[in-house]
């Protein structure tokens, strides 16, 4: 049976936040001390270490970005190529993991030489591959045909949407007296109230086990903005597959997510929100089973909802992505070089302020079809004209058949 123990706090009324972020709690005091003394060197990852609580809280509260201001790409990539090795993966800290990728059945990878190509070479190759992959007829067919499956996917309400609605309802019903009685939101600001409600998001036993099994790492991030933007790219590909399959992953989900994500398929590192969302829409219109503009817009709304729900919702999505990739005998490698680190990072270093800011930007961002580069408006006009012409021909054919029958 279960044994319940009630212990009094040393300081009555003291609140302990983020106790459900299990990975961040597993480091011992000795490991935390080690992390504090070793964390001075940039672009270094400590296995088994942790940054100090004070530094962590400072980062979570004060982190801020201009999501449309390109950051200078680090020179570490060219330095690595000088010794014959390219860097990729989370925080560009991995190499050697894709050395034999072409001898496996990895249909996600599109990089011809991942161990030696520079980031700029990978980017040029990605754009060329997307241009070749885009199918005019496929897009036009998905645009004009009122496919029940596409319409159903567009109308589908995801678990995160339902979660947000539930929290919004709880926020609306909460009274001032109830909020004031909670010392965790004593100042009673809107952000504090929202944070309190977001803390209601709970993890399943399976998710908790996965979190406890994650490696203990303290990351020294070289380009923090690029890490957040990579997260947006991964979440978009996940949301598109999640919506197409009505929230139930399939045997093809690992490939579908990996193919749409330029982070996975091309080891891309983004510098602006504009660049990542253009890539998301281009790949969302070139690779999935359904290639529909409105469907991509709904997937982007889903990304906003997850970011709006905060770090816990982001972590839940990442944990599901990890589960999908871990079960695949080839694509599990993307968990090793991306998702595991993202699951640790979002618990320890991802900033609530930065995620709220990113959610706001994503919500108000409008992707322009002209930026996609495939003359989508012209294709849609042509598709409508062809559809109308076919309907007219069918109508004339039916009239001729009716007249023929009357004559008989």
């Amino acid at each position: 049976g279960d044994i319940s123990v009630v212990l009094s706090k040393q300081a009555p009324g003291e609140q302990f936040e983020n106790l459900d972020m299990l990975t961040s709690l597993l480091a011992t005091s000795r490991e935390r001390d080690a992390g504090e003394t070793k964390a001075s060197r940039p672009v270094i990852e400590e296995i088994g270490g942790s940054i100090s609580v004070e530094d962590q809280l400072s980062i979570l509260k004060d982190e801020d970005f201009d999501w449309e201001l390109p950051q200078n790409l680090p020179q570490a990539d060219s330095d690595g190529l000088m010794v014959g090795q390219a860097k990729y993966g989370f925080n560009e800290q991995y190499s050697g993991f894709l050395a034999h990728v072409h001898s496996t059945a990895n249909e996600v990878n599109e990089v011809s030489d991942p161990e030696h190509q520079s980031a700029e070479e990978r980017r040029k190759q990605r754009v060329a591959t997307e241009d070749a992959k885009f199918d005019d007829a496929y897009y036009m067919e998905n645009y004009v045909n009122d496919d029940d499956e596409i319409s159903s996917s567009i109308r589908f309400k995801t678990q995160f949407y339902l979660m947000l609605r539930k929290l919004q309802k709880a926020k609306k019903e909460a009274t001032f007296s109830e909020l004031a009685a909670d010392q965790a939101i004593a100042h009673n600001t809107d952000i504090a109230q929202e944070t309190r409600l977001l803390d209601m998001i709970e993890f399943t036993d399976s998710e908790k086990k996965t979190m406890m099994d994650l490696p203990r790492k303290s990351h020294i991030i070289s380009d923090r903005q690029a890490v957040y933007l990579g997260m947006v790219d991964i979440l978009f590909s996940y949301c598109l597959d999640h919506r197409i399959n009505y929230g139930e992953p399939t045997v093809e989900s690992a490939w579908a997510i990996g193919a749409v994500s330029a982070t996975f398929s091309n080891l891309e590192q983004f510098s602006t929100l504009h660049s990542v969302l253009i890539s998301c829409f281009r790949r969302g219109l070139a690779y999935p089973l359904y290639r529909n503009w409105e469907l991509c817009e709904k997937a982007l709304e889903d990304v906003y909802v997850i970011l709006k729900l905060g770090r816990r919702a982001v972590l839940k999505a990442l944990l599901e992505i990890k589960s999908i990739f871990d079960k695949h005998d080839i694509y599990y490698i993307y968990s090793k070089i991306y998702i595991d680190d993202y699951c640790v990072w979002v618990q320890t270093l991802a900033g609530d302020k930065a995620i709220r800011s990113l959610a706001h930007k994503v919500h108000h961002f409008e992707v322009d079809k002209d930026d996609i580069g495939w003359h989508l408006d012209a294709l849609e006009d042509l598709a409508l004209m062809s559809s109308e012409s076919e309907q007219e021909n069918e109508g004339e054919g039916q009239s001729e058949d009716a007249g023929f029958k009357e004559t008989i």
Side-chain angles (χ1 to χ4, degrees), residues 225-280:
Q225 181 161 308
V227 172
Y228 282 101
L229 295 176
M231 176 183 70
V232 171
D233 175 65
I234 293 171
L235 288 177
F236 178 89
S237 61
Y238 161 75
C239 288
L240 190 57
D241 181 76
H242 186 82
R243 180 169 285 277
I244 288 175
N245 294 310
Y246 309 110
E248 296 293 335
T250 69
V251 293
E252 294 293 328
S253 288
W255 173 85
I257 294 172
V260 172
S261 169
T263 300
F264 291 159
S265 60
N266 289 269
L267 311 176
E268 184 65 85
Q269 184 176 28
F270 297 98
S271 58
T272 66
L273 183 61
H274 179 270
S275 65
V276 67
L277 294 185
I278 293 300
S279 172
C280 288

Side-chain angles (χ1 to χ4, degrees), residues 118-130 268:
S118 68
E120 185 59 30
E121 289 172 332
R122 296 196 299 258
R123 186 170 298 113
K124 290 180 179 179
Q125 182 178 353
R126 170 178 66 82
V127 173
T129 303
E130 291 167 356
E268 184 65 85

Side-chain angles (χ1 to χ4, degrees), residues 27 77 83 88 106 164 181-182 191 222 224 274 344 374 407:
D77 183 67
V83 295
Y88 48 77
N106 188 331
L164 180 61
D182 192 336
I191 292 179
S222 58
R224 304 185 67 80
H274 179 270
V344 174
W374 292 331
T407 301

Side-chain angles (χ1 to χ4, degrees), residues 48-77:
S50 176
I51 68 170
S52 67
V53 175
E54 292 78 11
D55 289 344
Q56 180 170 271
L57 291 177
S58 176
I59 291 170
L60 295 181
K61 291 180 180 179
D62 300 333
E63 197 168 35
D64 197 7
F65 299 100
D66 184 341
W67 301 108
E68 289 307 319
L69 180 63
Q71 303 296 305
N72 293 327
L73 293 176
Q75 299 300 315
D77 183 67

Side-chain angles (χ1 to χ4, degrees), residues 108-164:
V108 167
N109 175 68
E110 293 181 344
V111 183
S112 57
D113 189 1
E115 297 300 331
H116 299 95
Q117 281 183 289
S118 68
E120 185 59 30
E121 289 172 332
R122 296 196 299 258
R123 186 170 298 113
K124 290 180 179 179
Q125 182 178 353
R126 170 178 66 82
V127 173
T129 303
E130 291 167 356
D131 289 338
K133 177 65 177 175
F134 179 72
D135 189 324
D136 292 3
Y138 200 126
Y139 177 77
M140 292 166 63
E141 192 273 336
N142 275 196
Y143 178 73
V144 295
N145 287 356
D146 187 17
D147 192 300
D148 289 339
E149 292 295 329
I150 295 178
S151 299
S152 298
S153 295
I154 291 173
R155 294 192 302 268
F156 175 68
K157 290 179 172 55
T158 69
Q159 58 173 321
F160 297 102
Y161 171 82
L162 297 176
M163 194 182 301
L164 180 61

